[in-house]
Amino acid sequence: METGKTKTTIGFALIIAAFLCVIYLIFRIKGYAAMDVETLSDEKIAAIKESINRIVWLSGLLIGGLMGAVVQRSTFCIAAACHNIITTNDLTQTRAYAMALLVAIVGTQILYSFGDVDISRSSFISSPFTWLAYIVGGFIFGVGIVFGGGCASRILVRAAEGNLGGLVTVMAFILSSGATLWGITARFRIDYIETLRLNTQNQYLPNFLSFVPLWAVIIAVGIILIIFMLTAPKGSPWRGWRWPLAGAAIGLTVVLAWWINGSAYKAMMHIDQFAFSGPDDPMLLQRWRPKSLTFARPDAEAFRYIILYTGETGINFAIATVFGVLGGAYIAAMFSRTFNWVAPPLQQFKYNLFGGLLMGFGAVVAMGCNIGHGLSGISTLALGSILTMTFIFIGAITGAKYINWRLMKEL
């Protein structure tokens, strides 16, 4: 018993230390943004830019590691949050997702209000409103997470725990997302699904509710989420510290990711102001645009980075988060002695493969997964992210009902 308490204490200490380390790195970058660049030589500016790049991907590694460790120890999974509504009638995971969402929204909007993160430059807000892509991609991804056995982050964690079914899902996800980004199915996505769009300046929800103050929108959303969490029945696993803390920690990783990337974007505009024509410069936006956690594109990019290492330009924040999740989950599993090589039944392997293929295709079509749209995107109050997550829920429930129907049919 004492050994277990000691391990828990050490685990908490490591997680808190990692959070503090990321905050320290954020203020390192903010320090660069306050420098007088006119007194700096070209060599010094180049060194600072390299330092910013290094700090950003190191932060990605740490933030990904934090998410991986928290998901591994808590079994947090947005797929379960979606389909448990009908499969087990247990809303514990759904409430944990609500907590993560509450922290992510409030934290991100505070950063935006104080000018620390310009979310209007993020892909969630500034992308065209490709409504068909959000609906089709979200629904297909939602079905896929049920068959695949977990959401985009959970399958990485399961693979790091030694679950071979999770590994199959991850590899299928990478294959399908890569093909839909750059390969054989990309043409179908670009020529047919993404052509249907609405002409909007941006997708920031408060812009569509101009008659309502931003603070009122945030308070209304917060009240709804808090009421949902407080209505947990007596005896529910939610009535403890584990699930609320896990949800809050996941939400905080999203906020930290926005903060580090938003700070880097501002610093690069300041430090490299002579190289870029302004904040709308395509080169600046492509490389340094504010971003948070997502696993739709990064999984495929991480695999490409591994196999094309000598031909790649270098590691970035997104790739680092994937490696971080795998590393954090593996360390947590080894530390808690829950790492185990597990081979599911053959039928489950088929589901893992099919689910991973659906997840990769759906995530890229929708331009985000359940973490990308479901947490990072909704934290910006992006209309497309809200629509996508709605159809991820619908897809997950549909997939769960189909699996239940198949099981009942086989009995």
Side-chain angles (χ1 to χ4, degrees), residues 119-189:
I119 57 174
S120 67
R121 301 287 178 183
S122 72
S123 60
F124 299 112
I125 296 293
S126 60
S127 293
F129 190 80
T130 50
W131 59 270
L132 182 63
Y134 296 137
I135 292 172
V136 172
F139 181 82
I140 291 174
F141 181 84
V143 174
I145 60 179
V146 178
F147 283 90
C151 64
S153 59
R154 183 64 186 156
I155 59 173
L156 285 170
V157 170
R158 290 177 67 225
E161 292 173 328
N163 188 297
L164 298 180
L167 180 61
V168 169
T169 305
V170 169
M171 296 310 296
F173 182 89
I174 290 171
L175 173 65
S176 182
S177 60
T180 312
L181 276 168
W182 312 297
I184 194 169
T185 52
R187 199 76 266 163
F188 174 77
R189 168 179 64 85

Side-chain angles (χ1 to χ4, degrees), residues 5 11 41-42 52 78 97 105 114 127 138 174 180 182 185 212 218 220 223 271 276 281 344 365 384-385 393 406:
K5 288 183 178 179
S41 64
D42 291 342
I52 292 172
I78 296 181
Y97 170 59
I105 291 172
F114 280 91
S127 293
I174 290 171
T180 312
W182 312 297
T185 52
V212 180
I218 297 173
I223 289 174
I271 295 296
F276 297 110
D281 189 293
V365 167
S385 295
F393 262 100
R406 283 290 303 269

Side-chain angles (χ1 to χ4, degrees), residues 293-346:
L293 296 173
T294 186
F295 295 99
R297 186 183 184 107
D299 277 11
E301 287 185 339
F303 184 71
R304 188 178 70 176
Y305 178 78
I306 292 171
I307 63 175
L308 298 174
Y309 175 77
T310 56
E312 291 290 293
T313 56
I315 191 170
N316 59 31
F317 177 84
I319 294 172
T321 58
V322 175
F323 294 148
V325 169
L326 289 169
Y330 175 75
I331 292 171
M334 294 298 290
F335 188 74
S336 60
R337 295 186 179 181
T338 54
F339 180 89
N340 236 339
W341 290 112
V342 177
L346 181 60

Side-chain angles (χ1 to χ4, degrees), residues 101-293:
L101 203 52
L102 178 64
V103 173
I105 291 172
V106 172
T108 302
Q109 294 303 316
I110 288 174
L111 291 175
Y112 181 43
S113 298
F114 280 91
D116 285 291
V117 181
D118 187 1
I119 57 174
S120 67
R121 301 287 178 183
S122 72
S123 60
F124 299 112
I125 296 293
S126 60
S127 293
F129 190 80
T130 50
W131 59 270
L132 182 63
Y134 296 137
I135 292 172
V136 172
F139 181 82
I140 291 174
F141 181 84
V143 174
I145 60 179
V146 178
F147 283 90
C151 64
S153 59
R154 183 64 186 156
I155 59 173
L156 285 170
V157 170
R158 290 177 67 225
E161 292 173 328
N163 188 297
L164 298 180
L167 180 61
V168 169
T169 305
V170 169
M171 296 310 296
F173 182 89
I174 290 171
L175 173 65
S176 182
S177 60
T180 312
L181 276 168
W182 312 297
I184 194 169
T185 52
R187 199 76 266 163
F188 174 77
R189 168 179 64 85
I190 296 168
D191 292 345
Y192 297 100
I193 299 180
E194 291 185 359
T195 54
L196 294 175
R197 59 182 64 182
L198 297 180
N199 292 322
T200 57
Q201 293 295 326
N202 63 53
Q203 298 189 34
Y204 193 45
L205 180 61
N207 288 348
F208 295 89
L209 304 171
S210 55
F211 54 90
V212 180
L214 172 61
W215 60 265
V217 175
I218 297 173
I219 289 176
V221 172
I223 289 174
I224 293 170
L225 293 173
I226 290 171
I227 290 175
F228 173 62
M229 289 185 280
L230 292 178
T231 54
K234 292 181 179 179
S236 167
W238 177 256
R239 297 285 186 176
W241 59 267
R242 174 189 170 191
W243 285 108
L245 191 60
I250 295 295
L252 192 54
T253 60
V254 171
V255 176
L256 288 177
W258 279 121
W259 200 1
I260 188 73
N261 283 289
S263 299
Y265 176 75
K266 289 183 66 176
M268 286 302 297
M269 281 199 299
H270 176 71
I271 295 296
D272 210 13
Q273 56 184 299
F274 301 109
F276 297 110
S277 59
D280 291 316
D281 189 293
M283 185 176 176
L284 177 66
L285 282 173
Q286 181 66 24
R287 180 70 187 273
W288 297 102
R289 126 181 4 255
K291 63 182 72 68
S292 187
L293 296 173

